[in-house]
Structure formats: structure tokens, C-alpha cells
Amino acid sequence: MLVSLRDLRVALPPGADRPLAVSDVSLDIARNEIVCIVGESGSGKSVTAHAIMGLLPRGVVTTGGSILFDGVDLLKEPPAALRARRGRDIAMIFQDPMAALNPVVAIGGQVSEQIRAHRAIPESLALRQAGDLLSQMGLKDVAGLLKAYPHQLSGGQRQRVMIAMALSLSPRLLIADEPTTALDVTTQAQILKLIKAIQAERQMSVLFITHDFGVVADIADRVAVMRHGRVLESGPVAQVLGAPAHPYTRALIAAVPRDACALPPLPQAAPLVRVTGLSKRFRRGGLFSRRADVAAVDRVSLILNRGETLGIVGESGSGKSTLARCVIRLLDPDEGAVLFDGADIARMKARGLRPLRRRIQMVFQDPFSSLNPRRRIGDILTAGPRAYGEEAGAARARAAEMLRLVGLNPQAMDRFAHEFSGGQRQRIGLARALMLKPDVLIADEPVSALDVTVQAQVLDLLDDVRRRMNLAMLFITHDMRVAAQVCHRVMVMRHGRVVESGPTREVFAAPSSDYTRALLAAIPGCGRI
Amino acid sequence: MNRLHYIAMRLVKTALVTIAVVVLSFFLIRLAPGDAATVMAGQSGYADEAFVKSLRAEYGLDRPLPVQLWKYLGAVAQGDLGTSYARRMPVLEVILQRLPNTLLLDAFALVVAIAGGVWLGGLAARRPGSAGDAAVTVLSMLFYAVPQFWLGMMAVLLFAVWLAWLPPFGIETMGADYTGLARVADVASHMILPGMTLALYYLAGYARLTRTAMIEVAGQDFVKTARAKGIREGQVRRRHILRNALIPLITYAGLQASTLVGGSVLVENVFSWPGIGTLAYEAVTARDNPLLLGIFIVTAILISLFNLVTDIAYSLADPRVELA
């Protein structure tokens, strides 16, 4: 064994929601294997990884057990020896490569810095080695990259830089903490492939942290499932996926969205929103500099029927959110029409728009930043109706009703947003949108920030609400699996254009464009779970 | 965008701003009742209607305002800021005599404030919530809250009157006629009290700002990455935390430099520092409008230039910022 955790115990600071972040975790990582820890947020998977690195956040401390690395207990090593080991024997990559790279230091400097922290070699040699590493990671134009800054790179390039950095001293253990969660699905597939290839080539061990059983199926040799700081189940990947022993593991696997349950298209179509030839360009540059137009949405047409969910699927930069913002007139489209119940929203003046606004509502991606932290839930829910002149008492009564509808206790009205979990907040966000009795609901990545089991619940809720209120829903997502679950029809977007559209089942079963095929093939765990 | 092109464009904007400043202050100053002619007549001890009238004619004050403005703008465009009523000297000459003194004092205060503030803030940020952090916080709140003129007077009392370590006012010892290094030392000893009085206030700001920025940056992912690389802690703090934390300080330093060029009227007056601040004060009391206008114009130009320098410094420190 390269790494053996024995009865590892990590304490949280006093006042946390539980005393131990990790309790009595035992886990082995053999040489030349990939071990996945799977769990939802708060499971202790990330804390376990950070404990191995000796990089626990302030106030979080190991209080028992041992972490044997090649026979040495890392918990007993002096800090200086541990520091020298970090980056040399054990390296780590993180979830969000944009945040994990220093924004004001050039890429070359960041990679060479790691090499020079452990080896006394001149900067020029370290830079040459950094360049070699970057090209091994499949990156082109290495000379330019070394001088570039993180914000000038794409998400996939940044994560490759992170991996190059981590591998610069040929560590024996690579810890990857959700390294693909922040990436687009096609990029995710490439990075997973890269990690697997490097692991096999260098015969190193990988500890891979993820919340996604699809990713597990793609990459793991062995799996450990964690919940509330404990390991519930562990074993070879085929065994855990094929015959999960613990009910929680079964629930997690069952919660992974699949395309099998795609909804059939509605039998009769009653168009409510009709978008034709919509374009939105963003202008870069100003008064004195050269202008360049970027077409975020390029001549898109769509029809949204009453009671129907239309999925808009695309990777980041595909224009799906811009499209939604134009439909709701948060942005003014440059061309095209948005006919809502016969009226063209795209050309309407503010005064005429106002009565229509309440009929189109939006649910946002981030349940943390989309609710005002300083106002009570009751105020947040009733603000909309009150702005349209509804009486306070009546509005509050309906707020209670809406909270019940989304599965929350009406007492929530007197509390603040921070007192709720992510899933609960997203329910509140939905209740807020429903308060104005809309005809159209625009859901912009409503479940992307949620754990997989919570995700399944919120998707069920959205579908239930859609059915009950006969809502037309524009559902924006980057996740093909999520789209498959709730959408009657889907529209695939890329670079601002519609690549393909049609009934969900047909698009999934027989995609007509190469891009859709690539998206489907990139789904982690495709066909294996 | 091309940096030179950007700078050229900014200089054009600076010229436009200056013209606007001239026009605005020209009218603003004349809103006050009375004019230089009445002041001069009063000073001469003899003032009948005819004398005041002749003074007005001499200085062109009897012409319609737009004509006065047009003549003034034309002169300014040729670098002639007019003649000071009170001193009977070209305004530009008077200002250029005083400006280096203010710039010297400001540069000293700025350097002390930044160096001291960043050092103290870094110290406080190392262990948020510790006794050292609390001490720095209390100290900086104190410097921030105490009025500058009072701090200045107390400093004079303590260091100049009681301890007699430092001279209480002026820029050099009168009548001493030092030359060379002796003169530099003399000016330096005169600069310490007003410089420190000015610096302490801003130092408090830098300390607070550095502390907050460093604590915030220390919690970011790339700092964790740096530690995961096995870099020494000192290097993590300098290269990764401090370097990012210093970016917001540039804005603050730019703002400070801009407020200082106008001359700190209070501190310069407390210490009788012969800078732009005391000059402005004198110009106001003497109703010396040409001088006052000249000071406005020169400081407006300097502030625009400092803003330009701040923006360029910002783009150099943070590669994500583009000049546009």
C-alpha cells in the first residue's frame, strides 16, 4: 500500500453543525491505482483529502488515527518535512482551476515556482521543464502559454496547467478534488481521459474526489462512499456499482439522471411564446478603441407551448443564458421578435412591458446569491405581488400556500435565507417565481449547484409544479442527463446557434449533428451505470 | 489597446477637464460679493469711488464676465496664468516656487504611509483576531479618528517644545544659509513633523486596507495551491498573498496622491510649510483671484496626471485589467 488511512478523525471547530468532519475513516490506496471517494457536500470527502496533504483549514484539526504514506505517519512528521513532501511526493489539483491559479503571475512562473521550490535549478531550466510538461499535457503553443496569465486560458487549458504543475516533480500520489466539476462536459471527458492516461503511464496512485457516480464509473479502480464523515461502503468499482450493499449508495446511484425516463412530447401544441430570428451581439471596446462584435445569440427561433418544458442545452459560451435573458427582456435583443401571447416583447416599451413581466418569471442557478440575505423569506416572496399592488395580507397568505406547494413549512417566512440548505433555497427561489402566477417559467441551470440527491428532488418538484400550474418552462442546462429527465423537447446550442432540436427521446436516441453526438458521448459513465 | 494611444487619449481628456475646471472656477470665484479692487483699495488705506473704479479698469474687472473669461482662457492657453494681485508677480512663478515644497512633503508622507501601513497590515493579517491584530486595529482607528491639525499641534508641543528634538515650523532654519548635505539634513528635520502628521492618517488607511485584503486573499484557492506545491510559507505570503492584496492599494494611493497635490491646507498651515496649501489659504484671504485660479488649474492638471499614472500602474500590477 502507498497510503493507508487508519481510523482517521478530524474535528471541526466548536459551533459547527457536528463535532467531527471525518470520523474513523480507514482507506487504502495501492500503488498504481485510482481510488474514488464519492459523496455529497458535507460528507467529509474533501476534508479527508486535505488531511492527507496536511492542508486542513484553520480550526479544523486531526484528533486521532494515522495517515501512513509509504510507511511513514504523516501526522507525526514535523511541518518542514511535510512541506517538503507536498508537491514532491503528494500533489493536488482542485475543482476550479481559475480560482486555483494565481491571477497575477504568468503560467510559466507558476509552474517553474513549484519545480524550484524543491530543486535548486536556475529559472531558465525550470521554465524549459515547465514547457515540456505543458506540451505533455496536450497543450499547444507552449511558448505563448508560459507567458500567458490564467484569465487568458480556457477552463480546459487551465486544468491542464494545474495537472502539469502537479506532475512536475513526478509525485507518487495525485489527489484530485473534483477536478472536472467546473468544466464543460466535453472538456470534462478530455481531462478524465488525460488523468487516466497519465496515471497508467507514470504508474502513480490517484485519489479522486467526486460527487458524480458517472465520473466514478469512468475512472475508478476502487470506490469508497462517504456520508456524514464516515465511509459507508468501499470496494472495487464493479462491485460497488453493480451490487451496492448500502442503501445510501443505491440511492446515490439511482439519483444519477438517466435518459431512459425522457418525457414524450405533448400531444397537442398550444404555442405561448414564439421567438423568431433572435440575435444579440455584445460589443467590445469603447469610444476610442476598435470595436468588435461578438454574436452571443445568432438568429435563433423557437416555440414554447403551454404546459411544456423546452430544454436549451449547451456548454459555457453557447449563448443559452443570453437567449433566456433576451426572452425575458433583461437584455434588449438586436434583431428578431419575441411574441408572447401575440405581443412582441422584444420591441415593447417599459410601460407596456410591465404587466407582461409578471407572467414570465425566472429561477436562477445560484440559490445562495439570488436571495437577498438581509430580508426575511416572507418579504422576499411578497415583494413581487406587492409591487403589482396586491394587499400585504393576501400576499402573505399566498406566500404560505406557495411554500407548502414547494414542500416547505410556511414558518419559513419569518426566517432568513442563510438558515436554509441549498436545496431549500432553490425551493424558495421557485416559490418566489410562482408568487406572480406566471405563465412562463425560465429556469437557468436551476439544479447545477445542488447535490445529486437534492437535484433529483428539485427536478421532480419543477415537473410537478409545471403540471399543476400548466406552466411553459424554458429549462436551461449544460447537463444532458438533467435535460433528459425533465424536458419534452430539447434544443442544442453552440456558439450562439441552434445545432439541433427535437423531441428529447429522438435527439438522445438518434442525434443528427456531430456536436450532439459528442455531447452525449462525453456524459460521464455513459452506458455503464 | 496600444498603451501610447491610450495615454495620448487620456492627455486629450486631461486638457478638456482643465478647460472645464478653469471655466467653472472662474465663475464660482466671482459669485462671492466684492472683488480684488475693493480689497486692494481697502489695503491702500484710501478708497473713494473713483480710485476703486480706476483699479477695476487697470485689471480689466469692469469688462463683462464672458469677455474676461475669454481673455483669461486665451492667456492660459499661452501659459500665462496672469499676475497675482497681492504679490505683483506672475502667478505661474509663485506657484512653481511653492509646488516643489508640497510635492516633497507629499512624497515623504506617501512613502511613509504605504511602507508603514502595508507592514502593519501584513502583521495584523498574519493572525486575525490575535492581540497583535487588535493592537494594529486600535492604533489605526486612533490615527484615523484624530483630527490632523490637532495631531499636528500635539506633535509640535511634544517634539518641538518639550523635547526640543525637532524644529516646530518652516522648511529650513531661517538665516542659517546651509549648503550641500547640511541643507538636506536641515530640510529633512523640518519635514519630519508635518510629514508624519500627514502620513499617520493615511497609514491607518493602508493598514486597514492591507489587513482586509490579505485576509481575503489568504482564503482563496490559489493560496491553497501554493501551499500544496510545497513552497515556503514566507514565499506564499509575499508572492501569492501580498502581491494580490496590493492591487486595491494602488487605487487608494492614487486617490491619496490626488488629494495631497492640492496641498494639505490644515497641516501646511499648522507647520507653516511654504507649500500650495498655505499659498491657497493666503490667496483666499487676500481675494487674490488670479492666484487662486492658477492653483486650481495646476492642481487639476496634476490630479488628472496622477489618475493616469494610477490607471497605468493598475494595468501593470493586474494583467486582467486592460487600458480602455
Side-chain angles (χ1 to χ4, degrees):
Chain A
M1 285 300 148
L2 180 68
V3 182
S4 291
L5 307 189
R6 285 291 166 266
D7 306 316
L8 182 68
R9 199 176 276 214
V10 180
L12 288 168
D17 60 343
R18 59 175 199 252
L20 291 178
V22 170
S23 35
D24 304 316
V25 162
S26 296
L27 184 76
D28 290 321
I29 306 167
R31 282 167 219 280
N32 192 15
E33 78 166 349
I34 300 182
V35 175
C36 270
I37 301 183
V38 201
E40 299 189 285
S41 42
S43 63
K45 57 188 194 299
S46 203
V47 172
T48 307
H50 283 83
I52 299 175
M53 278 306 271
L55 285 178
L56 289 171
R58 199 176 283 237
V60 180
V61 284
T62 46
T63 52
S66 58
I67 300 173
L68 295 180
F69 182 87
D70 215 7
V72 181
D73 189 351
L74 297 183
L75 295 181
K76 296 206 175 83
E77 266 202 323
L82 204 58
R83 179 192 63 73
R85 207 184 265 288
R86 279 200 291 269
R88 188 190 66 205
D89 294 339
I90 312 172
M92 190 162 180
I93 57 176
F94 302 94
Q95 173 169 349
D96 182 357
M98 180 69 211
L101 290 166
N102 189 334
V104 302
V105 178
I107 298 296
Q110 300 198 47
V111 182
S112 69
E113 174 187 53
Q114 162 139 23
I115 302 172
R116 299 212 322 142
H118 300 274
R119 285 189 194 144
I121 59 169
E123 176 78 18
S124 57
L125 183 58
L127 273 175
R128 200 152 354 119
Q129 290 182 4
D132 291 345
L133 278 160
L134 292 179
S135 55
Q136 281 170 39
M137 296 306 122
L139 289 164
K140 305 265 183 306
D141 182 27
V142 168
L145 267 182
L146 288 173
K147 290 194 197 94
Y149 290 92
H151 70 279
Q152 295 164 323
L153 275 54
S154 71
Q157 284 176 315
R158 285 182 209 127
Q159 198 59 292
R160 282 171 200 267
V161 167
M162 282 297 292
I163 296 172
M165 212 153 75
L167 295 178
S168 58
L169 294 150
S170 306
R172 283 180 286 171
L173 174 67
L174 174 69
I175 300 177
D177 189 0
E178 303 252 17
T180 59
T181 308
L183 303 176
D184 274 329
V185 59
T186 47
T187 317
Q188 161 166 304
Q190 292 163 9
I191 296 289
L192 287 177
K193 219 181 197 173
L194 177 70
I195 292 177
K196 207 162 164 111
I198 291 166
Q199 181 272 332
E201 183 194 308
R202 304 192 170 212
Q203 309 223 316
M204 59 178 187
S205 308
V206 176
L207 177 63
F208 197 104
I209 314 288
T210 180
H211 66 281
D212 189 337
F213 256 107
V215 172
V216 174
D218 270 355
I219 198 166
D221 296 316
R222 284 192 309 117
V223 197
V225 181
M226 282 188 75
R227 187 191 196 188
H228 301 330
R230 291 174 188 280
V231 173
L232 297 181
E233 174 171 9
S234 66
V237 67
Q239 179 195 319
V240 175
L241 280 176
H246 199 281
Y248 178 68
T249 313
R250 284 199 286 273
L252 266 188
I253 295 175
V256 175
R258 286 171 183 75
D259 55 332
C261 41
L263 299 166
L266 289 182
Q268 71 255 28
L272 183 62
V273 180
R274 201 187 285 267
V275 175
T276 45
L278 188 87
S279 293
K280 175 73 190 172
R281 283 178 295 275
F282 287 113
R283 186 153 292 169
R284 297 191 54 182
L287 201 53
F288 295 115
S289 62
R290 211 168 354 124
R291 280 178 203 166
D293 281 0
V294 180
V297 174
D298 194 5
R299 284 161 290 166
V300 169
S301 300
L302 63 87
I303 291 173
L304 181 61
N305 297 309
R306 247 177 239 282
E308 175 196 53
T309 303
L310 171 64
I312 300 179
V313 189
E315 298 191 288
S316 47
S318 62
K320 55 191 192 302
S321 286
T322 306
L323 172 64
R325 270 158 220 271
C326 285
V327 170
I328 200 172
R329 258 297 283 279
L330 287 177
L331 289 173
D332 294 332
D334 293 318
E335 277 160 33
V338 179
L339 292 174
F340 175 64
D341 235 4
D344 186 0
I345 298 181
R347 297 278 158 265
M348 212 170 261
K349 294 246 160 46
R351 187 186 295 252
L353 203 57
R354 211 171 116 79
L356 286 180
R357 283 230 191 259
R358 63 181 302 166
R359 296 176 61 193
I360 309 180
Q361 288 296 308
M362 194 151 178
V363 178
F364 298 93
Q365 170 171 3
D366 186 352
F368 292 86
S369 66
S370 56
L371 296 174
N372 187 333
R374 302 202 196 286
R375 302 199 62 190
R376 288 175 205 280
I377 301 303
D379 296 335
I380 293 175
L381 292 183
T382 53
R386 302 265 291 141
Y388 282 97
E390 193 167 324
E391 231 186 296
R396 278 190 79 82
R398 211 143 48 73
E401 186 192 321
M402 285 303 146
L403 284 172
R404 249 180 254 121
L405 179 73
V406 298
L408 291 175
N409 190 324
Q411 284 171 351
M413 280 210 278
D414 298 320
R415 295 163 68 189
F416 291 96
H418 69 263
E419 299 174 61
F420 297 91
S421 69
Q424 286 171 326
R425 283 184 221 201
Q426 207 52 310
R427 285 169 193 268
I428 294 168
L430 178 59
R432 185 201 57 76
L434 297 177
M435 280 300 286
L436 289 165
K437 301 182 192 150
D439 297 312
V440 178
L441 190 65
I442 297 182
D444 191 355
E445 302 269 10
V447 297
S448 320
L450 305 177
D451 275 327
V452 59
T453 50
V454 183
Q455 200 173 41
Q457 293 162 11
V458 172
L459 287 176
D460 281 347
L461 173 65
L462 277 172
D463 202 46
D464 181 51
V465 167
R466 184 218 19 113
R467 212 166 305 183
R468 278 205 227 182
M469 305 182 75
N470 199 28
L471 281 173
M473 187 149 68
L474 207 56
F475 190 97
I476 295 159
T477 180
H478 69 282
D479 192 333
M480 296 293 278
R481 295 174 296 180
V482 169
Q485 249 194 341
V486 290
C487 300
H488 299 94
R489 290 186 299 130
V490 290
M491 197 170 98
V492 181
M493 283 186 74
R494 188 188 197 192
H495 301 327
R497 296 205 183 144
V498 179
V499 172
E500 171 163 12
S501 68
T504 311
R505 281 186 176 174
E506 283 171 29
V507 171
F508 275 72
S512 66
S513 84
D514 290 339
Y515 181 66
T516 314
R517 267 193 288 279
L519 278 184
L520 288 169
I523 294 176
C526 185
R528 262 173 286 183
I529 54 168
Chain B
M1 184 170 53
N2 187 330
R3 189 162 277 153
L4 282 176
H5 179 222
Y6 173 79
I7 292 172
M9 279 305 154
R10 279 290 295 264
L11 290 177
V12 171
K13 284 181 192 169
T14 300
L16 294 176
V17 167
T18 310
I19 294 173
V21 167
V22 174
V23 173
L24 267 178
S25 15
F26 184 84
F27 286 112
L28 215 57
I29 282 177
R30 276 166 178 75
L31 280 182
D35 60 17
T38 51
V39 176
M40 276 186 277
Q43 280 167 349
S44 70
Y46 166 80
D48 66 358
E49 214 32 52
F51 180 62
V52 173
K53 218 170 176 175
S54 72
L55 273 176
R56 285 212 175 101
E58 188 187 335
Y59 288 98
L61 294 171
D62 54 347
R63 310 264 197 91
L65 268 187
V67 176
Q68 289 185 37
L69 174 64
W70 185 246
K71 273 191 71 178
Y72 184 65
L73 274 177
V76 169
Q78 290 165 24
D80 174 16
L81 294 181
T83 308
S84 158
Y85 296 156
R87 291 159 200 267
R88 317 256 166 191
M89 265 170 77
V91 165
L92 195 61
E93 205 174 296
V94 177
I95 293 176
L96 288 183
Q97 256 175 21
R98 296 292 196 92
L99 190 63
N101 298 344
T102 287
L103 292 181
L104 179 70
L105 186 66
D106 294 351
F108 174 73
L110 199 68
V111 169
V112 171
I114 292 177
V118 168
W119 182 70
L120 276 179
L123 216 61
R126 195 165 284 197
R127 293 201 165 277
S130 66
D133 179 24
V136 170
T137 304
V138 168
L139 207 67
S140 49
M141 288 308 255
L142 193 74
F143 289 151
Y144 216 74
V146 170
Q148 278 186 340
F149 70 90
W150 186 82
L151 192 67
M153 291 192 297
M154 291 305 112
V156 169
L157 210 56
L158 180 62
F159 293 104
V161 179
W162 292 343
L163 298 173
W165 288 352
L166 293 165
F169 63 82
I171 189 168
E172 49 194 334
T173 311
M174 262 186 263
D177 287 329
Y178 291 117
T179 49
L181 271 183
R183 182 161 182 230
V184 172
D186 186 43
V187 170
S189 73
H190 280 82
M191 192 165 60
I192 290 177
L193 282 183
M196 289 302 288
T197 305
L198 264 182
L200 281 182
Y201 173 78
Y202 289 101
L203 184 146
Y206 286 109
R208 304 285 301 155
L209 214 62
T210 307
R211 175 187 178 274
T212 317
M214 282 189 78
I215 291 173
E216 195 193 311
V217 173
Q220 288 185 8
D221 278 1
F222 63 81
V223 176
K224 198 161 72 178
T225 307
R227 296 209 169 97
K229 287 167 161 182
I231 299 171
R232 281 173 211 285
E233 188 58 25
Q235 210 187 337
V236 172
R237 297 198 71 83
R238 277 192 308 275
R239 189 174 156 103
H240 293 276
I241 300 180
L242 188 61
R243 186 146 170 204
N244 277 279
L246 286 182
I247 295 172
L249 291 194
I250 294 174
T251 311
Y252 193 71
L255 285 175
Q256 184 197 347
S258 301
T259 38
L260 282 176
V261 267
S264 174
V265 178
L266 283 177
V267 171
E268 284 190 5
N269 272 298
V270 167
F271 292 96
S272 306
W273 186 264
I276 293 287
T278 39
L279 189 65
Y281 179 75
E282 290 159 17
V284 170
T285 44
R287 302 298 294 272
D288 193 346
N289 286 351
L291 181 56
L292 204 52
L293 268 176
I295 292 174
F296 286 161
I297 293 168
V298 171
T299 47
I301 292 174
L302 281 175
I303 290 174
S304 294
L305 290 180
F306 276 127
N307 280 336
L308 175 60
V309 171
T310 308
D311 286 349
I312 293 172
Y314 213 101
S315 78
L316 291 177
D318 189 344
R320 289 164 297 184
V321 173
E322 275 180 51
L323 292 174

